[in-house]
Amino acid sequence: MDIQFFWESLITLIPGIPLTLLLAFLSTFLGAFLALLLATMRLSGIRPLGWFAQGYLFVFRGSPLLVQLFLIYYGLSQFPAVRHSFAWTFLRDPYWCAIIALTLNTAAYASEVIRGGLLSVPHGQVEAARASGMSGFMLFRRIVFPLAIRQALPAYGTELILMVKATSLASIITIMEITGLAAKLVSETYRVIEVFIVAGAIYLAINFILTRIVMALEYRLTPHLREPRILTALALENESAGEIS
């Protein structure tokens, strides 16, 4: 083990971090809209829409992400109709193929997370909002959606972390993110262990930061998590006031 080489590997792999984060965040952001649409289709009660959503989930959750990535990047280019369409502007670029594959994949998992969050909203709060005159989009925006997000946030945070790790598969289609740069460095130095220890440490650091951000958001959006500290502060204030008196 060479400490100097660890440092050199870190300097080499750091430029891949922005691309890794861009792949993860953009695909998760786009996948969130598709996931919300799929969850709405599942809960709509309209059978054709529900069947389509279930079929989508069956395909994209039941097949490996690597296979999906290969089918989009290598498979679609086999069709002349695709190569002569406007979509070829994106499908010939490995970056957009990776974004499409990651988006379609995360939407399948996130839709179930969102559906679970929507189903967890207490029916009594919905009825109370309706009794107050809310309905339609206002009811969804002010009552249903905030409560669903609060319930789904921990699981959605896990999905974001999984997407950061899933971006490593993009190196298979020549994208030079962290894993792509690591593979290139290994091919040049033949020092597999040191390079991938550094790459793994970078992924670990990114996911540690994301975990803390999700925990902070959960703490901010969930009042009962703050109550113990508030009650403790009030008890200390009362105790101090009693001692002074």
Side-chain angles (χ1 to χ4, degrees):
M1 294 292 180
D2 186 353
I3 302 300
Q4 179 64 28
F5 183 74
F6 275 113
W7 175 253
E8 293 174 357
S9 299
L10 179 62
I11 297 301
T12 303
L13 299 185
I14 281 178
I17 295 177
L19 183 54
T20 294
L21 295 178
L22 185 61
L23 287 170
F25 288 132
L26 183 57
S27 58
T28 303
F29 175 75
L30 296 175
F33 292 97
L34 182 55
L36 181 60
L37 177 62
L38 291 170
T40 304
M41 293 170 68
R42 289 286 304 276
L43 299 173
S44 65
I46 303 175
R47 287 188 177 181
L49 295 180
W51 290 339
F52 174 83
Q54 289 181 6
Y56 181 97
L57 266 62
F58 175 77
V59 171
F60 283 94
R61 292 201 304 172
S63 59
L65 175 58
L66 182 60
V67 173
Q68 299 165 18
L69 190 60
F70 280 160
L71 287 175
I72 293 173
Y73 183 64
Y74 294 110
L76 294 180
S77 62
Q78 304 299 314
F79 298 96
V82 174
R83 294 197 302 270
H84 293 90
S85 67
F86 75 93
W88 185 240
T89 305
F90 300 97
L91 294 176
R92 68 183 178 185
D93 187 340
Y95 171 78
W96 287 110
C97 288
I99 289 292
I100 292 171
L102 292 170
T103 297
L104 295 176
N105 185 268
T106 189
Y109 291 94
S111 66
E112 288 298 277
V113 174
I114 294 176
R115 187 173 73 93
L118 293 173
L119 291 175
S120 68
V121 176
H123 185 69
Q125 296 195 26
V126 176
E127 291 298 322
R130 287 174 176 168
S132 300
M134 294 185 189
S135 62
F137 181 73
M138 180 180 292
L139 173 63
F140 180 80
R141 181 174 63 88
R142 292 190 174 183
I143 304 299
V144 176
F145 187 70
L147 292 175
I149 288 296
R150 186 185 302 169
Q151 297 295 329
L153 183 60
Y156 212 99
T158 301
E159 178 60 23
L160 177 59
I161 292 171
L162 291 174
M163 288 307 299
V164 171
K165 295 187 290 184
T167 58
S168 62
L169 296 176
S171 62
I172 302 297
I173 57 173
T174 71
I175 294 182
M176 290 293 103
E177 39 71 67
I178 295 174
T179 303
L181 292 176
K184 181 181 177 182
L185 185 58
V186 168
S187 67
E188 295 172 352
T189 62
Y190 300 100
R191 304 177 73 166
V192 179
I193 296 178
E194 293 96 327
V195 173
F196 280 106
I197 285 178
V198 174
I202 293 175
Y203 282 111
L204 185 63
I206 292 173
N207 288 330
F208 176 79
I209 295 172
L210 289 177
T211 301
R212 297 303 162 182
I213 293 174
V214 171
M215 290 176 62
L217 287 174
E218 185 181 1
Y219 179 81
R220 178 68 180 83
L221 296 175
T222 310
H224 76 267
L225 294 178
R226 302 193 299 271
E227 289 177 357
R229 294 188 179 182
I230 296 174
L231 294 176
T232 301
L234 292 175
L236 291 175
E237 290 180 2
N238 293 332
E239 183 178 349
S240 300
E243 290 177 355
I244 294 175
S245 60

